[in-house]
Amino acid sequence: MARLPKLTRFNDNVLSKYQIYNSIFMTLPFDTISNTGVLLPLFHEICKNGFDNGNNPTEIVDLFFQKYQENPSDQNKKDLLFLFIQYIERQVVLFDAIEDAAFPIVNNMDGIGTLRNSKEIAILSEKKEELKKHLEDFKVRIVLTAHPTQFYPGSVLGIITDLDKAIQNDDLLLIKKLLAQLGKTPFYKKAKPTPYDEAISLIWYLENVFYHSMSKIYNYVQQHIYDGEPLENEIIDLGFWPGGDRDGNPFVTTKITLDVAERLRQSILRSYYGDVKSLKRRFTFDGVQEILAKVEKRLYKHVVRSYKKVNFSQKILLSELEAAREIVKTKHNSLFIEELNDFINKVRIFGFHFATLDIRQDSRVHHKAFTQIVDDLAADGDTTFPKNYHHLSEDEQILILSLVKGNIDPKILSDEMSVKTIESIYALKTIQARNGERGANRYIISNNQSALNVMQTFAMLNLCGFENELPVDVIPLFETVDDLENSSDVMRTLYSNQAYRYHLTKRKNKQTIMLGFSDGTKDGGYLMANWGIFKAKEALTKISREFDIEVIFFDGRGGPPARGGGKTHQFYASLGPTIEDKEIQLTIQGQTISSNFGTLNSSQFNLEQLISSGIKNEVFTKDQLNDKHREIIEDLADTSYKTYVNFKNHPQFLPYLEKMSTLKYYAKTNIGSRPSKRSNSDTLDFSALRAIPFVGSWSQLKQNVPGFFGVGTALKKYEEAGRFDEIIEFYNASDFFKTLLENSMMSLTKSFFGLTAYMADDSVFGEFWKLIFKEYETTKRLFLKLTGDQELMENFPIGKASIEMRENIVLPLLTIQQYALKQIQDLQKTDGNIKEIEVYEKMVMRSLFGNINASRNSA
């Protein structure tokens, strides 16, 4: 039977099912006002028609109450709007669950971008050996972060998982019960989560998703590409930031770091324990049964009884399992050996650490802490640093830093941050002793500006008793436009340092460098950030190859295109030979974790897409920019950058965000443990503002400025010069340029300026709103001219249909949010009732949640 078109499958299995299940959901009485489910569709219709007719949110809300409510009190109005929010939040969850359940039906699990497809292409093109050679050392590293873009409590996540399964089985009775349960379960958190709470939430995905999907991928590669031969490379690594990411998060303590590492260890050993119990039911043979019983007993001691002694390791476990496999092969005709192989592969992949816990801190914090450490050592009579150290040149300081060794006692330090920094390094040693080196072997320096920043960290590590060999990768994170431009000079200085170069020889001559899309976009705009990172990768590749060092790029990506998200696998497939690509490393955060890796099917599919993108770039195609294309994109990025910087420097820029958006409400939502800005100042400082609330606030306004502003002006320059055909040729010839613009198109597709059109008449911000809208219209018009399409994302009908449905669901929610913001503004102008303002502020915060999750990559 022929496979139906993808859009048809989506319509039949997602949109149609949503209409059916939503109609059931809307009739469920889980509030005191039994007709809320009847009124919400009417309110939705009023919103849709209202915006079509040019009404503002306040007029729309007032019209609804005039038409469908008989003289409601102010309290009744507010109560009903809160109930609408409650319903819409759950409609988003329902749509998520239906879309997740339909994932393997809508997506071809063996189609383009999957490992099966890559294998078949390799065989047809007689490149199977080349593919095998590439996979010997190619890896994908997914690093889970706890950045605050996901708010579901564990109870709701459990319901979502059960709802997903019930929908797959078309179990209407269970679906109805789960929808009722969803309606009665609180969505918002009464208190901010701790970093440990965030870790527990993400470990759920490790245990229930990645543990199974990663081993399935590894098994496929081993069996179908390597024909059952041993494969030493893990293919996929997991990284973990909750509990180790100290950058701007004062709540991450050494104790939490150690507790999270121990929880990761306990979690993986618990998973092994469950597998061994299952294996014992199969391997009832002499010789094998005894080994598994011994393994089970040891795991029991370490998991159930939390055995503290370090007398069990990945190496010991693997040796015992290999011995069992040899007996199965030689004495028992390899019976059930596939199941044993699967377990052995899991132990190879996950070790005793499950995921590598990264430590991260800001270079400015490091510099201050390190300066105090030098002073405290001198005060204690220590001669490690010369008395005039602070007055030496940077080159002289770097020379000293490269040679220092020691075993510093945190008790002699007078500064709290210095103590915390040194204790975090000692925690690395403790974790490695218990979980293995892969448990924690990366120290990331965010906002890295110089070689001195790296060497201060290098010195602090060496001052903590690591002696001759430092089993830790020191990773600079370059974020701003200037830092990206200077990054190759920083690395040249480091590579030229004899002690640091010797350190790299002990790390297999590999240097990991992190590049931040989020802050790059915030600093320089969409085109400049992406092109700046591309050029930085080229320069860093060149300098690293010059010193015979394999550079590994670690991309700090968020969910939306403005923060490096969007179609990420297409970016990696289009990098070309001038950028090192032996590994793909990227952060996954917030609702992107649940949307792209939240189920076994979506996790396997998206992991395979990333692996295949690396295979495509290295083995099959080499998309390389020619000189003409480089000249064009350089010019586009420069024009876009100047346009964005002028916009950012506009006197209304920060006041607009502060007074007209949801920016200040992010900190009050209890979504994540980390503060929304790096400083404690009451005034809004752009440099201290985090990328997530910055991008998220534009998303809540449905303006998505960071994903497109400046792009339209740059394209218009070529149109006015009569050179737009060059842009069209570039777009059709380069996968990199095409993906760059297609991701920006996604930002435009998720924009809806009708929501805030009333701001055009604002006496203070009217002209500023018009400036944004003009850039939006210019960008949209030129994107359509470029593609020849009638609508944005015309060539991505599934993504477009999903976005349209999600935007449709939250239209009333967006209306309520803008209505509440306008009420707050009006009340503040007239020194209105404080308690009434607080009610509307709560309405704004509650509406944040549904909007964030409906977008799935809004921040």
Side-chain angles (χ1 to χ4, degrees):
M1 182 177 176
R3 190 176 175 89
L4 293 170
K6 193 171 183 180
L7 184 58
T8 303
R9 300 198 303 271
F10 181 83
N11 290 335
D12 291 347
N13 293 279
V14 180
L15 296 187
S16 296
K17 283 190 175 182
Y18 174 76
Q19 300 299 340
I20 294 169
Y21 296 142
N22 186 51
S23 64
I24 297 172
F25 173 70
M26 297 298 277
T27 61
L28 295 174
F30 32 70
D31 55 68
T32 54
I33 304 174
S34 59
N35 63 343
T36 305
V38 177
L39 290 172
L40 180 55
L42 299 174
F43 180 55
H44 185 282
E45 191 66 21
I46 291 284
C47 292
K48 186 176 182 301
N49 293 334
F51 287 121
D52 287 344
N53 295 327
N55 297 122
N56 64 50
T58 303
E59 291 170 338
I60 289 169
V61 172
D62 288 344
L63 177 61
F64 168 77
F65 283 114
Q66 290 170 16
K67 192 170 182 179
Y68 293 109
Q69 297 280 282
E70 189 173 342
N71 297 319
S73 67
D74 284 345
Q75 188 59 48
N76 286 339
K77 288 180 181 179
K78 292 167 187 168
D79 289 344
L80 185 57
L81 292 177
F82 274 112
L83 285 169
F84 283 164
I85 292 171
Q86 180 187 9
Y87 267 74
I88 297 165
E89 284 176 334
R90 287 150 179 80
Q91 284 179 311
V92 172
V93 171
L94 174 61
F95 188 79
D96 282 350
I98 292 169
E99 199 167 37
D100 288 342
F103 191 92
I105 301 171
V106 174
N107 296 278
N108 186 351
M109 299 296 287
D110 294 323
I112 295 172
T114 64
L115 282 172
R116 182 183 293 275
N117 177 253
S118 294
K119 183 201 75 171
E120 290 172 353
I121 292 174
I123 291 172
L124 289 172
S125 55
E126 298 182 348
K127 288 187 174 182
K128 187 178 178 182
E129 289 305 312
E130 195 174 337
L131 174 61
K132 287 171 66 175
K133 189 174 189 314
H134 177 62
L135 289 175
E136 284 176 4
D137 55 7
F138 173 76
K139 286 185 182 181
V140 167
R141 180 186 289 258
I142 300 294
V143 181
L144 306 185
T145 79
H147 291 347
T149 56
Q150 171 65 275
F151 79 94
Y152 292 140
S155 55
V156 174
L157 286 172
I159 297 170
I160 293 172
T161 302
D162 294 341
L163 193 56
D164 182 336
K165 292 176 183 176
I167 290 168
Q168 288 186 56
N169 297 326
D170 286 323
D171 189 339
L172 283 174
L173 182 60
L174 180 57
I175 290 168
K176 188 172 181 179
K177 289 182 177 179
L178 290 169
L179 289 175
Q181 182 187 3
L182 196 65
K184 292 181 175 291
T185 303
F187 267 42
Y188 59 92
K189 297 172 181 175
K190 295 179 181 178
K192 289 178 78 71
T194 67
Y196 186 76
D197 294 334
E198 291 171 331
I200 297 302
S201 295
L202 289 189
I203 287 172
W204 185 93
Y205 290 101
L206 300 185
E207 293 176 333
N208 293 281
V209 181
F210 288 103
Y211 183 71
H212 305 284
S213 62
M214 284 172 58
S215 65
K216 190 173 182 180
I217 290 171
Y218 184 94
N219 293 340
Y220 180 86
V221 171
Q222 186 181 54
Q223 293 166 18
H224 298 280
I225 296 178
Y226 283 82
D227 302 318
E229 298 173 9
L231 175 62
E232 296 301 320
N233 182 25
E234 296 87 13
I235 304 292
I236 307 169
D237 277 336
L238 284 175
F240 204 76
W241 275 16
D245 183 9
R246 286 170 161 71
D247 180 13
N249 194 339
F251 306 111
V252 177
T253 64
T254 302
K255 183 180 186 305
I256 281 180
T257 300
L258 292 169
D259 287 347
V260 169
E262 183 59 24
R263 183 59 181 254
L264 285 166
R265 181 177 185 272
Q266 291 292 317
S267 297
I268 190 58
L269 295 184
R270 189 185 304 114
S271 297
Y272 292 163
Y273 180 66
D275 278 0
V276 168
K277 290 182 72 174
S278 298
L279 286 172
K280 283 182 65 185
R281 296 179 64 181
R282 293 284 178 265
F283 294 99
T284 52
F285 326 136
D286 286 342
V288 183
Q289 189 179 34
E290 290 80 0
I291 292 175
L292 292 179
K294 180 182 176 184
V295 168
E296 181 187 29
K297 185 177 179 181
R298 299 187 80 166
L299 287 169
Y300 179 85
K301 284 170 62 180
H302 283 264
V303 175
V304 179
R305 298 172 62 185
S306 298
Y307 200 63
K308 295 299 181 185
K309 286 189 177 180
V310 184
N311 63 347
F312 196 27
S313 66
Q314 178 191 23
K315 184 177 180 181
I316 293 171
L317 179 56
L318 280 174
S319 67
E320 292 173 342
L321 295 174
E322 294 284 3
R325 181 166 61 179
E326 186 62 27
I327 295 171
V328 173
K329 283 175 62 178
T330 58
K331 296 184 178 180
H332 303 293
N333 302 319
S334 296
L335 189 59
F336 295 123
I337 200 166
E338 295 84 4
E339 295 179 36
L340 183 57
N341 283 338
D342 175 62
F343 183 53
I344 291 172
N345 288 342
K346 285 175 179 173
V347 177
R348 288 186 188 282
I349 296 167
F350 302 111
F352 273 36
H353 65 287
F354 217 156
T356 300
L357 185 63
D358 288 347
I359 306 297
R360 185 172 78 130
Q361 185 55 282
D362 189 286
S363 66
R364 292 163 293 192
V365 175
H366 265 178
H367 179 75
K368 185 178 178 183
F370 186 76
T371 300
Q372 190 60 49
I373 287 171
V374 172
D375 292 342
D376 287 341
L377 285 172
D380 195 54
D382 192 291
T383 58
T384 301
F385 295 94
K387 291 181 179 180
N388 66 337
Y389 173 81
H390 294 313
H391 303 287
L392 298 175
S393 69
E394 185 171 308
D395 289 342
E396 290 171 323
Q397 287 184 347
I398 286 174
L399 181 61
I400 292 169
L401 294 172
S402 67
L403 301 174
V404 297
K405 298 283 183 183
N407 209 334
I408 192 170
D409 184 356
K411 292 178 182 178
I412 71 165
L413 302 177
S414 60
D415 176 63
E416 183 183 8
M417 186 52 68
S418 300
V419 173
K420 289 180 177 179
T421 303
I422 293 300
E423 284 182 344
S424 71
I425 295 173
Y426 278 116
L428 277 173
K429 296 181 72 176
T430 303
I431 294 167
Q432 288 192 1
R434 190 156 176 79
N435 296 17
E437 188 196 303
R438 288 168 66 199
N441 61 2
R442 291 153 49 104
Y443 203 116
I444 300 160
I445 312 148
S446 56
N447 192 48
N448 196 97
Q449 299 175 347
S450 66
L452 185 64
N453 293 150
V454 177
M455 293 308 295
Q456 285 173 340
T457 307
F458 183 69
M460 283 191 282
L461 286 160
N462 281 314
L463 283 169
C464 292
F466 278 109
E467 298 177 355
N468 295 326
E469 203 165 306
L470 179 61
V472 179
D473 295 322
V474 185
I475 303 175
L477 165 53
F478 300 105
E479 300 177 81
T480 68
V481 172
D482 288 342
D483 291 343
L484 288 168
E485 289 179 351
N486 297 330
S487 60
S488 59
D489 290 337
V490 170
M491 297 314 298
R492 177 178 289 278
T493 301
L494 293 171
Y495 293 158
S496 300
N497 182 277
Q498 188 175 354
Y500 190 80
R501 184 66 184 82
Y502 174 77
H503 163 67
L504 290 180
T505 63
K506 298 299 182 179
R507 305 302 293 166
K508 300 180 180 178
N509 284 311
K510 293 183 178 183
Q511 171 68 55
T512 302
I513 298 173
M514 189 173 179
L515 303 159
F517 282 80
S518 299
D519 284 288
T521 303
K522 174 175 162 271
D523 179 54
Y526 179 74
L527 276 184
M528 179 57 84
N530 281 277
W531 179 234
I533 286 173
F534 189 94
K535 289 194 298 180
K537 284 185 175 182
E538 286 190 318
L540 290 165
T541 297
K542 184 178 180 181
I543 190 68
S544 298
R545 287 173 178 172
E546 181 184 326
F547 282 85
D548 293 324
I549 292 165
E550 182 183 309
V551 65
I552 298 166
F553 294 115
F554 176 21
D555 291 333
R557 294 182 178 273
R563 296 185 55 235
K567 302 175 182 68
T568 53
H569 61 277
Q570 292 184 9
F571 263 119
Y572 291 117
S574 66
L575 291 178
T578 57
I579 293 177
E580 199 72 76
D581 64 343
K582 287 289 181 67
E583 292 191 25
I584 291 174
Q585 298 190 8
L586 69 159
T587 55
I588 304 292
Q589 55 193 249
Q591 69 273 45
T592 309
I593 297 173
S594 55
S595 61
N596 288 357
F597 302 94
T599 67
L600 292 174
N601 288 316
S602 63
S603 173
Q604 181 184 340
F605 183 84
N606 285 301
L607 285 171
E608 287 193 21
Q609 292 288 318
L610 284 169
I611 295 169
S612 296
S613 69
I615 293 171
K616 179 185 177 186
N617 187 47
E618 182 65 26
V619 179
F620 300 136
T621 59
K622 290 285 186 183
D623 184 52
Q624 189 167 3
L625 298 176
N626 59 39
D627 290 342
K628 181 182 177 183
H629 292 162
R630 285 179 174 277
E631 184 181 321
I632 291 173
I633 195 170
E634 183 75 43
D635 186 44
L636 287 171
D638 185 59
T639 303
S640 175
Y641 176 66
K642 290 174 182 175
T643 305
Y644 177 80
V645 170
N646 287 338
F647 171 67
K648 193 174 67 172
N649 291 335
H650 193 289
Q652 298 291 9
F653 183 84
L654 286 178
Y656 181 80
L657 273 177
E658 193 167 22
K659 295 178 181 178
M660 306 300 281
S661 81
T662 59
L663 181 64
K664 64 182 178 182
Y665 299 101
Y666 265 81
K668 303 176 182 179
T669 55
N670 294 332
I671 294 174
S673 69
R674 195 168 68 165
S676 61
K677 56 183 181 178
R678 288 183 169 91
S679 69
N680 295 319
S681 172
D682 291 332
T683 57
L684 185 58
D685 176 10
F686 184 78
S687 63
L689 182 60
R690 291 198 171 280
I692 288 172
F694 173 71
V695 174
S697 296
W698 289 112
S699 175
Q700 294 282 324
L701 283 170
K702 305 312 293 180
Q703 293 176 2
N704 291 323
V705 160
F708 73 83
F709 202 93
V711 178
T713 298
L715 294 175
K716 187 180 177 184
K717 177 182 175 182
Y718 278 74
E719 181 187 45
E720 291 177 341
R723 298 177 59 193
F724 202 74
D725 58 324
E726 295 177 35
I727 301 295
I728 295 173
E729 185 277 328
F730 186 12
Y731 177 80
N732 291 323
S734 168
D735 287 343
F736 170 75
F737 188 54
K738 179 177 284 190
T739 302
L740 190 65
L741 294 191
E742 284 174 350
N743 277 346
S744 185
M745 288 178 204
M746 187 188 296
S747 291
L748 288 183
T749 304
K750 292 185 176 185
S751 297
F752 175 48
F753 278 81
L755 179 71
T756 56
Y758 70 93
M759 294 182 186
D761 299 323
D762 188 271
S763 59
V764 178
F765 297 108
E767 293 305 313
F768 188 73
W769 184 92
K770 290 175 185 176
L771 175 67
I772 300 169
F773 184 53
K774 182 180 178 183
E775 183 69 13
Y776 162 80
E777 285 192 309
T778 300
T779 309
K780 181 179 179 180
R781 178 180 66 80
L782 291 173
F783 275 163
L784 294 176
K785 182 177 180 178
L786 175 63
T787 60
D789 295 335
Q790 298 300 309
E791 296 179 328
L792 293 171
M793 292 184 69
E794 199 171 290
N795 292 326
F796 301 95
I798 305 303
K800 182 177 174 62
S802 179
I803 289 171
E804 286 177 349
M805 190 61 197
R806 291 174 179 279
E807 297 298 317
N808 185 57
I809 291 171
V810 298
L811 183 63
L813 198 61
L814 293 164
T815 308
I816 293 169
Q817 184 183 87
Q818 284 300 314
Y819 167 78
L821 284 168
K822 190 68 170 65
Q823 294 299 309
I824 293 167
Q825 291 162 15
D826 291 344
L827 286 166
Q828 287 174 339
K829 286 176 184 175
T830 58
D831 294 323
N833 186 293
I834 297 295
K835 288 188 176 180
E836 192 170 5
I837 291 175
E838 289 176 350
V839 170
Y840 285 117
E841 287 184 331
K842 182 180 178 183
M843 197 175 287
V844 171
M845 285 185 285
R846 286 293 307 278
S847 62
L848 276 170
F849 301 145
N851 292 335
I852 287 171
N853 285 282
S855 293
R856 280 204 154 181
N857 64 1
S858 63

